Each structure stands twice: as C-alpha cells, then as structure tokens.
Amino acid sequence: MGRCPTRIAIAGDLHGLWDAVDDLILERLGPDVVLVVGDLGEGEDRMSRMVARLPHPVACVLGNHDAARDTGGEVLRRQLHLLGDVHCGWGLRRLEPPGLAVVGGRPASSGGGYVLSAAVRSVWGPVPLETSIARITTAAATVSAQDPLVLLAHVGPTGLGSTAQDPCGRDWCRPARDWGDLDLAAAITRIRRRRPLPLVVFGHMHHRIRGGGQRRSFLLDRHNTAYLNAAAVPRHCQDEQGRPLRHFAMVHLEGNQLLWAAQCWFDAEATLRRQECLYQGA
C-alpha cells in the first residue's frame, strides 16, 4: 500500500496578520504540516513566538522584512533565537510525523539574483554565491531519494519568467524582470541530478500586482517540480458579506508526487469560502 498523502498548509507573507482565528482554522483543518514563507512582520517578537508555538509540525524561513531595517543584525538574531529549530534557512528540518523533509533557502532574501543585505552579512557573514548553493544542496543530500522533499524559501528561484505577472516577476518598478534567487535556482538543478523534487514553496512577490492584475502563483516544470507562491497579501480579508477570511495555500503530497494544490480562503469556522485550484493530479 502507498503512504497516505501529506496535507500541507502554507502561510504566505504574514506581515503581522495572525490571530486566534488563524489558530482555530488550523486546529479544525488539522494539517500534517504547516510551512511559513517569511516576512512574519517587522521584527516583532510576537510573530516569531507564535510560529514557534504552533501545535503542528512546522517549518519557517525568515524574509527580508523580518530584519526590520536593522542593518546590525540584532533583530534577525532575536528572531532566530525565538524560532529555534523551526527556522530552516540554509538547512534541513525533518518533520516527524508525517515524514517530510524541508530544506530552507537563503534566509531574509529580498530577491534580485544574489544580494546579501547588511543584516544578513552581520549575522551570517559575506557568504559567497557558491557557498549558499552548497548549503542548500548539502542539506538536501542527506535526505533519501525515496523520502518526500520540499524546498522552502522566502523568494523563489530565477527562471520562472520575467514579466510582472510571473511567480517571481518584479512589478514595483519598470522594466519588469525576473527577481528570483540565483542560488536557489542552481541548487534546484543540482538536487534534481540525484533525486526528485516535487515542490518549491515561497512568497515575497505579492499576488496582487502593483498597477492592477494578479500574479501567476503556480508553475509546474518539465521535471515535475511544482513552484507555489503563497504570498496572498493581505492574508486577512473579508468576503462580500463582511465575514472575516483567512488565506492558506493548501497542498496534498504523496511521497514525491504532487496530488493537489490550491489557494484557499476560510471563514472563522474553518469553512472553505473561496478556492483557486492550482493543480489537480490525474
């Protein structure tokens, strides 16, 4: 018999938006895994404590906003301390159960190829591009090819398109261009030489495009790797009747095969009120 599908709930860029309703929704949905793509807030301790205390197997990577404009790195260091093992940037987090390996991309990235902010340099030093690639691929190499693996990053990889509508396309100034991470793209190529890679999860580029329109939030490449942008911002909203809604991207993964993925909005009773199906396997 095959293994049961792993049900993954993904919280996109939080930007301080998390409350008791989110906790209740997760309690009622009962996902096997919760992934958080970063930009928890602007360095608030409350947000990191909330993620670390979630009563689910959880993995998180910090985003560029989590440094809170502190170039000296003290805010990032505090977030890393509060998150503890939950943070998997440049490393591996094994979630048991359900038996899912999560490898984190470069923490606190703001995209644009390979740029280290002053805060990142203060915490981790002047990490060369090749070192960043090696940290991601080395972490993935410790996972058996038979075990499911997910890459979790704040910014997605380069190579997913160069228009403002693409998953990592720059939309806040012209001309539009690919604003993904070079190191993550190179790591993905190397990882797939030895094993399947079913899913890459990220955020940073908000779904709502500046100037109007919606971003393409999902892509499946010819290697059967799925790329999912979970940054529905703001993730707290209301429906037409004024009822509060909360966004989670939801994924079902069976081994190294993606079964289903969707952007979902739930009400305060965890009833699904709106859904954008991204992928449905055969």
Side-chain angles (χ1 to χ4, degrees), residues 15-88:
H15 291 295
L17 295 181
W18 191 282
D19 58 18
V21 174
D22 294 283
D23 290 334
L24 178 62
I25 290 170
L26 284 182
E27 179 184 347
R28 292 184 174 179
L29 291 178
D32 299 305
V33 167
V34 177
L35 303 180
V36 184
V37 306
D39 277 3
L40 310 184
E42 297 293 333
E44 304 100 312
D45 292 357
R46 176 184 72 87
M47 298 302 296
S48 293
R49 288 193 176 102
M50 175 276 299
V51 171
R53 292 173 181 172
L54 286 173
H56 310 271
V58 58
C60 171
V61 64
L62 289 174
N64 57 302
H65 276 265
D66 295 309
R69 301 182 184 274
D70 170 32
T71 59
E74 289 307 311
V75 172
L76 273 183
R77 289 187 183 92
R78 190 169 69 246
Q79 305 313 305
L80 291 168
H81 173 73
L82 293 170
L83 289 167
D85 292 341
V86 166
H87 186 264
C88 63

Side-chain angles (χ1 to χ4, degrees), residues 7 11 16 42 55 96 123 136 162 174 201 221:
R7 298 165 301 137
E42 297 293 333
E96 301 284 355
V123 175
I136 301 168
S162 57
R174 299 298 183 211
V201 174
D221 71 14

